Amino acid sequence: MFDFMNSSFVDVYVRDFYYWLKVSDIGKLMSASLIMLFAVLVRRIFSFFVVKFLNFLVLRKIAYGQEKYIREITKPVSFIPIVVGVYFSLNILKISSSFVYYTRNFLKSLVIFNISWFLYTFVNPLAFIFRKTHLDNTQTVILTWCVRIGKFLIVIIGLSAFLENWGVRVSTLIASLGIVGMAVALGAQDMFKNIISGIAIISEHRFSVGDIVRLENSTNSVIEGVVENIGFRSTTIRKFDRTLLFVPNSTLSDAAVINFSSRMYRRIEWTIRLEYRTSSNQLRYITQEIKRYLFENENFVKPPESISQVRLDKFGENSIELLIYCFTNTNVWAEWLKIKEDFIIKIKEIVERAGAGFALPSNSIYVEQVEHNLKKRELPKELMDTLYKDEKSERNVVDVMDGDF
């Protein structure tokens, strides 16, 4: 390295540069310096007017206050006057033939860098405009992936153009890295599996960012939370205790996913237990009043749009059980809790107004005095008279019981 620096190769260029400074006109040097100074001073004004023009041209139909997406291109736009200033400054100066190759490549590199930088920063405002005019929340995830891929391709293309400009054969470089790429691909099978699973999740619209989900995998572990991000390799879920969980996309593709945010209504299914001493009229009144409340309250879904049932279900061990099955008009958890609270209070008011009571788990002990002369229990005489009026009716009853219709 030390011998190279002292070789005649470096001496030639040092001598040429010294000769160029010696023969250069002071006026041209001053002109080039003024051009660069003017470019530095005008770059902010130039970028200001360009951004304002784009705001008027592109964002006039978008909500006010979203100009920040266009301001991202301010820096690459402000670099354009610098590139133009360097170009004119070098044209004014008398560049030695030894430096023409490097000067030309330097200018091309500046242009490539400026164009790549501008395209890289313009991806975000372009995606914002497209999302506001064409996409819904589910497709926004796909657009986010496209933005990342687009930025990556712009960097690769810009870097390739920069290397080609300086004589580096990118195709040869890629071919030489082919074997290494195959080895990396074999070792990154899990990564590609996660990427493909992520594409499947988005294309199937299983969930999107902001949805509340419940995951049940093969190990019987349950995960509940809010989806915060769907990435290339993993999906970020914020659990309800605010813990951040990163789940591989391949795990999500194999798991049973319940998307609570996609449901239209939330269900209420209760069993109300009433005391056994509640009379039949009281039971009818309670069921009718609860049905009337569900029908008149706008917070509940009405048939036939959904099922709504208030029925005496069965005789339980300690109570008469009343089944309530209905759906609310909201799927927001906080609103659903408020509707349930009002419904509970209303049911208690109805039961108290009917003079009935709720049954508690209990055991009843009945004490009976047993007589020595037990009498066989018989139907009351008036029921016996209605059961068998004559012999003909008796034969009919026997025929029916025997299955002779």
Side-chain angles (χ1 to χ4, degrees):
M1 187 69 175
F2 180 80
D3 294 337
F4 173 77
M5 294 300 294
N6 290 278
S7 64
S8 59
F9 177 80
V10 177
D11 294 339
V12 171
Y13 283 98
V14 171
R15 251 191 338 266
D16 289 342
F17 183 72
Y18 174 75
Y19 176 76
W20 171 73
L21 289 177
K22 186 177 180 180
V23 300
S24 296
D25 190 357
I26 299 299
K28 292 181 178 180
L29 289 174
M30 293 295 295
S31 299
S33 301
L34 290 175
I35 290 175
M36 289 303 303
L37 180 61
F38 176 77
V40 172
L41 294 177
V42 80
R43 66 188 184 94
R44 293 187 179 275
I45 301 175
F46 177 76
S47 63
F48 174 79
F49 282 106
V50 170
V51 171
K52 283 296 182 182
F53 175 74
L54 290 176
N55 283 336
F56 173 78
L57 183 66
V58 180
L59 293 181
R60 55 185 176 178
K61 295 183 180 181
I62 307 299
Y64 176 78
Q66 303 296 340
E67 296 87 354
K68 62 180 180 180
Y69 294 96
I70 290 296
R71 293 198 189 100
E72 294 182 6
I73 66 173
T74 301
K75 292 182 179 181
V77 169
S78 64
F79 193 70
I80 295 177
I82 302 297
V83 177
V84 176
V86 172
Y87 173 78
F88 283 107
S89 298
L90 293 177
N91 283 337
I92 291 175
L93 299 175
K94 293 181 179 180
I95 303 299
S96 174
S97 59
S98 303
F99 291 95
V100 171
Y101 172 77
Y102 298 100
T103 303
R104 184 176 64 250
N105 288 350
F106 176 71
L107 287 174
K108 289 182 180 180
S109 299
L110 286 180
V111 174
I112 292 172
F113 173 74
N114 201 178
I115 293 175
S116 302
W117 191 10
F118 176 81
L119 293 177
Y120 184 88
T121 55
F122 194 71
V123 170
N124 283 337
L126 186 64
F128 167 76
I129 296 168
F130 195 77
R131 180 172 64 246
K132 283 293 185 179
T133 54
H134 294 83
L135 300 180
D136 56 17
N137 291 331
T138 302
Q139 295 172 320
T140 301
V141 180
I142 302 177
L143 182 61
T144 302
W145 281 38
C146 293
V147 168
R148 295 175 182 176
I149 295 173
K151 288 184 176 181
F152 177 75
L153 292 177
I154 290 172
V155 172
I156 295 299
I157 294 174
L159 183 60
S160 300
F162 179 82
L163 294 176
E164 288 282 353
N165 180 54
W166 289 98
V168 179
R169 296 293 181 181
V170 179
S171 58
T172 305
L173 182 62
I174 294 175
S176 62
L177 295 176
I179 299 177
V180 179
M182 292 178 60
V184 172
L186 291 174
Q189 291 182 3
D190 292 339
M191 182 183 70
F192 290 118
K193 182 180 179 182
N194 288 325
I195 293 175
I196 295 173
S197 299
I199 296 174
I201 290 171
I202 296 174
S203 61
E204 292 175 359
H205 304 287
R206 291 190 179 185
F207 49 80
S208 59
V209 176
D211 289 349
I212 300 175
V213 297
R214 175 188 175 95
L215 312 178
E216 298 179 358
N217 55 24
S218 58
T219 60
N220 295 327
S221 60
V222 178
I223 300 173
E224 291 184 347
V226 181
V227 179
E228 288 198 351
N229 182 46
I230 303 176
F232 285 105
R233 296 185 62 251
S234 63
T235 297
T236 306
I237 297 178
R238 178 78 67 176
K239 299 175 68 175
F240 294 121
D241 59 357
R242 309 306 299 168
T243 303
L244 197 60
L245 184 65
F246 297 91
V247 183
N249 289 332
S250 58
T251 302
L252 285 176
S253 63
D254 298 332
V257 181
I258 301 175
N259 191 343
F260 293 108
S261 299
S262 63
R263 61 186 174 187
M264 299 175 61
Y265 316 119
R266 291 184 75 106
R267 182 182 63 183
I268 294 178
E269 183 178 4
W270 290 338
T271 298
I272 309 300
R273 293 175 172 82
L274 302 174
E275 295 176 338
Y276 264 113
R277 60 185 177 183
T278 306
S279 66
S280 58
N281 289 331
Q282 288 176 321
L283 292 175
R284 293 191 185 96
Y285 174 80
I286 292 172
T287 54
Q288 289 176 1
E289 289 299 311
I290 294 176
K291 289 178 181 178
R292 183 180 292 109
Y293 177 79
L294 293 177
F295 181 77
E296 295 176 354
N297 196 316
E298 60 182 9
N299 292 324
F300 295 91
V301 185
K302 310 298 186 299
E305 189 173 355
S306 71
I307 300 174
S308 181
Q309 295 290 337
V310 180
R311 297 292 181 183
L312 293 172
D313 188 24
K314 63 181 180 179
F315 292 103
E317 294 182 358
N318 305 305
S319 61
I320 301 174
E321 296 185 359
L322 175 67
L323 175 65
I324 298 177
Y325 188 90
C326 58
F327 291 86
T328 62
N329 267 323
T330 181
N331 62 353
V332 180
W333 185 61
E335 297 178 0
W336 179 68
L337 290 178
K338 180 64 172 60
I339 295 173
K340 283 207 310 179
E341 180 183 27
D342 295 338
F343 194 21
I344 290 173
I345 295 174
K346 185 63 179 179
I347 291 175
K348 185 169 177 51
E349 291 177 353
I350 292 173
V351 173
E352 291 176 350
R353 192 184 307 124
F358 297 98
L360 299 176
S362 60
N363 292 321
S364 299
I365 300 176
Y366 297 91
V367 180
E368 182 179 2
Q369 184 177 2
V370 181
E371 298 180 358
H372 293 285
N373 297 325
L374 296 178
K375 295 182 179 180
K376 185 177 181 181
R377 292 186 177 180
E378 299 288 348
L379 284 175
K381 185 177 183 305
E382 59 272 14
L383 294 181
M384 292 292 295
D385 295 338
T386 58
L387 183 61
Y388 300 109
K389 291 184 178 180
D390 52 22
E391 294 181 359
K392 183 177 180 180
S393 63
E394 183 178 0
R395 287 194 300 271
N396 291 336
V397 171
V398 173
D399 295 338
V400 169
M401 296 298 295
D402 291 339
D404 187 10
F405 296 97

